[in-house]
Amino acid sequence: MPKITINGKEIEFTDGMTVLQACELADVEIPRFCYHEKLSIAGNCRMCLVEMEKSPKPIASCAMPAAEGMNIKTNSTLVEKARKGVMEFLLANHPLDCPVCDQGGECDLQDQSMYYGVDKSRFVENKRQVKEKYMGPLIKTQMTRCIHCTRCVRFATEVAGVPEIGAIGRGENMEITTYLEKAMESELSANVIDLCPVGALTSKPYAFEARPWELKKTESIDVTDAVGSNIRVDTYNWEVKRILPRLNEDINEEWISDKTRYSCDGLLKQRLDVPYIKKNNKLQKSTWDEALLLLLNKIKSIEPNEIGGHIGDMVNLESALGFKKLFGIFNSKNLEFREKNFYFNSSEKINYIFNSSIKGIEDADLILLVGTNPRHEATILNARIRKTFVNKKIPIYSIGDPGELTYEYTKIGDKTDDIKKIINKEGEFSKKLLSAKKPLVIIGESALGLKSGKYIFEELKDFLKENKFITEDWNALNFLPQNASTVGLIDLKIISSDDENKSFFEKLDSNKFKLIYLLGSDNLEIKKNNEFIVYQGSHGDRGAEIADIILPSAAYTEQNGLFENLEGRVQECKKASYPIGEALEDWKIFNLILKKMGKNENLLNFDNLRKEVLNLIPNFTKINELPKYKLSGSKKRSSSFFSEDINIKELDYYFTNSISRASKTMSECRQIKQNTKKTGTNN
């Protein structure tokens, strides 16, 4: 390996590294503003200047490739003088408004100015002033603070794939703006707030809410989709003030979606804080004793096979297992988690996870999307697809019309017949797929929900097996679930059937259930007739609207719990705040029901539930670790083919769950998106 000398210490580095990256290997911190490891190199702030032997002047370490034999000094008098000069230029036009700036306490410019800044400025002319820019309901601008690092411009173009931000003017008069001064449309837009090293771009919903040192910080995970993005939940007292991304190179890198970040204000709205029972067609406040007594009397009066249970999209595994055990005590097996019936095969784990892994997308040389829109169903995963597309120029194809994605793709059909052609090795695309070394096939719920859902999955799986695209080293078969709880609930066998038997949905559609117990379920379509509905959840959403009994429970930030992301990775969602009013954690409600029934009230203890959950998950090793699933060689299932259109269900992206529907911020984003669709403009 080549070697470089940094401050008298010899360091080995990898070819292709910059001087700045080599310095980091030597544990030498180089100040920077424009440089970011996930973005292209701009080299326009000059804060990273270092001294290189035989160079007449300091060099920008972020843009200079490291080379064998270089002798670099980062702490010389020349370097310090150069950096102080750069800092003076940066502060010349910068307003002295740190006390009122929301970036205060988390500002790179503030930190560096403490070391390289001076207490007096030699600049006596009037400071530059820049008009504020409109960037939508998420991003608050104060562009006079901007130091022209262009991180936001590069992120929008390179990572988000929606190039909405650019620069106009030159030199001191340069301005960062959206071209038409309209709201940013990318689902990743708010990441520019984290990237901004000064207070030019700050969070509009969080403005003037709290200072960073006042907040309690809890490391957790996102449950608004199946990706399992690593997040940090910041709370003030019991109130969630903001959600920020945590670095995880295997999953979300350092990005999160706007829905992950800003739906949290929905945790304060439309909350259920006391039990309710329906009297004279009106919901009235009740006590826990009264509500549970009514529930048990109702259960006693009907047959067990007339009781149905449905688990929602953001329910943790401990709560789900407790619910299953409770239904075992009720002698009912009518449990389901799917909102719409779609096919999956639970015989082995590789059938219902994203086998290639999120990070593994970067190794693919061809991607086929089957009945899915990853931009809306899994925004962070879509960003990884774009990253691979940009870096490797790989071809991307789609069966079904996903609409506008953030990368170029070729639509090769929108019928199940087009999948049949691939399986039969007919057509031009089949040849391209067979010639690939590491293809990636992503199958969405829209495809598996068809009558041909079983055929699509089983035949594609068999095709990939036959052509050695499913091996111990590479598995091209990937299922993309839409909900955070899907993979874990399949592992816990919380389903009426995983085959063509539609018993739960048939009973539901034909009104065969006399009692339906909804656990955090707000997206299940129920054509209510005379069913008695019990709703256990945190928000007065769709489930609560039709309920006869409401049992208030905790939201995902208010209780500990495990989830499995789409890769089959077990992750822990940690308690960051407390349930409001008389609301309780799910497992505590189950134990209250048991107590009312005269059974052991600690039968469904949380610790015991967690231990049992971990024992039920195949190949589980440790939390946050990605297990390796072996191929079992299970037999192919017979299936029937139907010629059908593959219509990708369009998600109401900002309103996918009860929390986001209660969010004022998500409502504003949705309104802007709808106006854009209707008129082509935000005005």
Side-chain angles (χ1 to χ4, degrees):
M1 290 180 73
K3 294 180 179 179
I4 186 172
T5 303
I6 298 170
N7 297 335
K9 184 180 177 183
E10 202 170 60
I11 300 291
E12 289 184 344
F13 67 94
T14 308
D15 282 333
M17 279 187 168
T18 63
V19 171
L20 187 149
Q21 291 169 325
C23 289
E24 288 180 339
L25 291 177
D27 293 326
V28 176
E29 187 177 349
I30 304 293
R32 82 290 302 263
F33 293 118
C34 70
Y35 174 80
H36 192 279
E37 61 184 6
K38 300 295 183 186
L39 306 175
S40 62
I41 293 169
N44 49 10
C45 78
R46 320 309 285 182
M47 196 65 203
C48 65
L49 294 174
V50 296
E51 185 179 352
M52 183 175 72
E53 191 177 60
K54 296 180 181 179
S55 174
K57 57 183 180 180
I59 62 167
S61 60
C62 70
M64 176 64 72
E68 174 75 44
M70 273 187 174
N71 188 0
I72 303 295
K73 294 179 182 178
T74 69
N75 52 7
S76 66
T77 305
L78 176 66
V79 170
E80 187 171 341
K81 186 180 177 182
R83 289 176 183 173
K84 283 185 175 179
V86 170
M87 181 59 68
E88 187 175 16
F89 272 114
L90 292 176
L91 294 176
N93 281 308
H94 197 79
L96 301 176
D97 60 349
C98 295
V100 296
C101 179
D102 261 324
Q103 196 83 353
E106 299 173 317
C107 180
D108 292 347
L109 185 67
Q110 199 175 53
D111 294 341
Q112 296 300 334
S113 67
M114 291 296 291
Y115 190 85
Y116 296 105
V118 292
D119 60 344
K120 292 180 182 178
S121 175
R122 292 181 291 169
F123 189 79
V124 294
E125 288 81 2
N126 291 329
K127 292 193 175 188
R128 163 183 74 109
Q129 290 187 323
V130 183
K131 183 183 174 185
E132 304 315 322
K133 313 297 181 185
Y134 174 74
M135 293 189 182
L138 307 180
I139 304 168
K140 182 174 182 284
T141 64
Q142 192 78 38
M143 303 312 290
T144 304
R145 299 170 185 159
C146 180
I147 61 169
H148 304 156
C149 71
T150 68
R151 280 186 180 183
C152 54
V153 178
R154 285 174 283 149
F155 174 84
T157 305
E158 298 165 12
V159 179
V162 186
E164 301 169 292
I165 305 178
I168 58 174
R170 296 182 65 188
E172 185 185 54
N173 297 318
M174 176 178 164
E175 294 182 21
I176 304 295
T177 180
T178 52
Y179 295 108
L180 299 175
E181 293 204 21
K182 64 182 186 67
M184 292 182 68
E185 293 183 9
S186 169
E187 293 79 15
L188 294 167
S189 65
N191 286 289
V192 299
I193 297 167
D194 299 332
L195 287 171
C196 184
V198 296
L201 304 176
T202 55
S203 174
K204 192 177 281 187
Y206 175 69
F208 311 122
E209 286 287 326
R211 288 297 195 180
W213 55 84
E214 297 175 318
L215 302 172
K216 175 192 170 189
K217 302 166 179 65
T218 306
E219 294 185 351
S220 189
I221 60 160
D222 170 51
V223 299
T224 59
D225 59 27
V227 174
S229 298
N230 285 221
I231 60 172
R232 193 186 82 196
V233 183
D234 288 358
T235 54
Y236 184 82
N237 293 329
W238 61 271
E239 186 178 329
V240 176
K241 287 294 184 182
R242 64 178 183 177
I243 287 176
L244 297 175
R246 282 192 295 127
L247 178 67
N248 189 317
E249 294 291 353
D250 292 338
I251 303 175
N252 58 300
E253 297 183 284
E254 52 192 277
W255 323 121
I256 54 173
S257 70
D258 292 346
K259 182 166 60 177
T260 300
R261 188 186 297 265
Y262 284 121
S263 62
C264 61
D265 64 334
L267 293 164
L268 305 174
K269 306 281 194 310
Q270 294 181 219
R271 292 300 302 271
L272 301 171
D273 56 353
V274 295
Y276 288 85
I277 58 175
K278 189 169 281 185
K279 295 179 180 177
N280 301 320
N281 278 332
K282 287 186 179 180
L283 285 169
Q284 297 181 12
K285 289 183 180 181
S286 173
T287 62
W288 277 103
D289 282 342
E290 187 182 7
L292 295 180
L293 188 63
L294 178 60
L295 168 62
L296 293 176
N297 286 338
K298 197 70 184 178
I299 288 171
K300 287 176 185 175
S301 67
I302 57 179
E303 295 295 319
N305 64 351
E306 295 174 326
I307 303 172
H310 192 270
I311 299 178
D313 55 325
M314 296 190 293
V315 176
N316 61 57
L317 298 186
E318 293 91 344
S319 298
L321 183 61
F323 193 63
K324 182 181 180 180
K325 287 181 172 292
L326 188 67
F327 261 62
I329 295 169
F330 295 160
N331 292 317
S332 173
K333 295 181 180 179
N334 297 313
L335 282 176
E336 185 57 78
F337 70 88
R338 293 171 293 181
E339 294 154 10
K340 293 256 173 81
N341 191 56
F342 63 83
Y343 173 79
F344 70 89
N345 182 346
S346 65
S347 61
E348 58 180 333
K349 188 105 176 194
I350 67 165
N351 292 329
Y352 53 90
I353 61 171
F354 200 91
N355 291 290
S356 304
S357 79
I358 298 171
K359 191 176 184 179
I361 293 172
E362 296 180 32
D363 297 327
D365 56 3
L366 181 147
I367 296 176
L368 172 63
L369 307 175
V370 182
T372 181
N373 176 352
R375 179 174 177 178
H376 289 161
E377 294 172 17
T379 304
I380 294 298
L381 183 140
N382 187 71
R384 191 77 71 149
I385 295 174
R386 171 170 172 79
K387 181 181 179 181
T388 308
F389 171 78
V390 170
N391 293 343
K392 296 177 65 177
K393 310 299 180 190
I394 66 168
I396 301 174
Y397 301 88
S398 176
I399 298 179
D401 186 6
E404 189 177 353
L405 299 177
T406 57
Y407 38 81
E408 293 176 10
Y409 68 93
T410 304
K411 182 183 167 186
I412 58 176
D414 53 11
K415 295 183 75 70
T416 53
D417 302 77
D418 298 300
I419 297 174
K420 195 173 186 180
K421 282 181 185 176
I422 297 170
I423 293 162
N424 294 335
K425 300 181 181 180
E426 299 170 359
E428 195 64 32
F429 174 74
S430 187
K431 294 177 185 175
K432 291 178 181 177
L433 180 58
L434 290 169
S435 63
K437 292 181 180 178
K438 288 188 174 182
L440 202 87
V441 179
I442 303 175
I443 307 172
E445 290 182 13
S446 293
L448 298 179
L450 299 171
K451 288 192 291 183
S452 294
K454 187 177 182 180
Y455 174 89
I456 291 170
F457 183 85
E458 296 295 342
E459 293 297 330
L460 273 176
K461 179 186 176 184
D462 197 52
F463 172 85
L464 294 171
K465 267 189 174 180
E466 282 180 4
N467 294 284
K468 296 186 170 42
F469 293 136
I470 298 179
T471 65
E472 296 291 342
D473 299 322
W474 180 257
N475 193 332
L477 183 71
N478 297 283
F479 166 54
L480 181 56
Q482 294 180 6
N483 296 334
S485 53
T486 297
V487 174
L489 296 183
I490 297 173
D491 276 345
L492 299 183
K493 308 286 184 204
I494 301 190
I495 189 162
S496 56
S497 174
D498 66 354
D499 211 327
E500 292 176 347
N501 182 1
K502 302 176 184 176
S503 58
F504 180 90
F505 294 98
E506 283 177 348
K507 286 182 179 180
L508 185 70
D509 293 339
S510 57
N511 301 105
K512 293 291 175 64
F513 291 124
K514 289 186 178 178
L515 186 145
I516 302 174
Y517 197 144
L518 303 175
L519 178 62
S521 176
D522 293 283
N523 295 331
L524 182 67
E525 292 182 11
I526 301 175
K527 297 175 183 175
K528 189 177 179 182
N529 189 7
N530 293 315
E531 297 91 342
F532 191 85
I533 308 288
V534 181
Y535 176 77
Q536 180 174 321
S538 59
H539 282 71
D541 201 66
R542 296 167 182 171
E545 287 174 2
I546 58 172
D548 296 283
I549 297 177
I550 293 175
L551 306 177
S553 67
Y556 78 97
T557 57
E558 298 162 1
Q559 56 185 326
N560 294 312
L562 298 176
F563 288 83
E564 265 191 274
N565 79 339
L566 50 79
E567 306 167 295
R569 189 192 302 264
V570 178
Q571 299 173 291
E572 188 174 11
C573 186
K574 294 182 179 178
K575 186 175 183 175
S577 58
Y578 301 93
I580 66 168
E582 296 180 26
L584 298 170
E585 295 171 43
D586 289 319
W587 68 273
K588 290 182 179 179
I589 296 174
F590 301 149
N591 281 328
L592 279 180
I593 294 172
L594 293 177
K595 186 179 179 181
K596 263 303 184 203
M597 294 175 72
K599 300 186 182 292
N600 183 356
E601 59 184 278
N602 291 314
L603 186 64
L604 303 180
N605 175 277
F606 180 82
D607 293 332
N608 293 336
L609 286 171
R610 173 163 289 192
K611 286 177 186 175
E612 193 168 345
V613 162
L614 295 176
N615 287 331
L616 289 170
I617 295 172
N619 290 36
F620 171 76
T621 49
K622 53 191 293 191
I623 290 173
N624 294 325
E625 189 172 283
L626 183 64
K628 185 76 173 174
Y629 299 106
K630 294 183 179 179
L631 309 178
S632 68
S634 59
K635 293 181 180 179
K636 178 184 169 184
R637 296 187 177 187
S638 59
S639 56
S640 302
F641 174 78
F642 302 88
S643 182
E644 302 171 85
D645 292 331
I646 299 177
N647 296 314
I648 299 171
K649 182 187 175 185
E650 187 175 353
L651 289 180
D652 193 349
Y653 177 74
Y654 295 106
F655 270 23
T656 53
N657 56 68
S658 59
I659 296 173
S660 63
R661 285 192 286 269
S663 166
K664 179 176 177 288
T665 308
M666 292 294 97
S667 181
E668 290 173 356
C669 291
R670 181 174 182 259
Q671 189 64 47
I672 287 170
K673 190 74 82 174
Q674 287 178 337
N675 288 344
T676 304
K677 282 184 179 179
K678 287 177 186 176
T679 64
T681 176
N682 293 332
N683 297 322

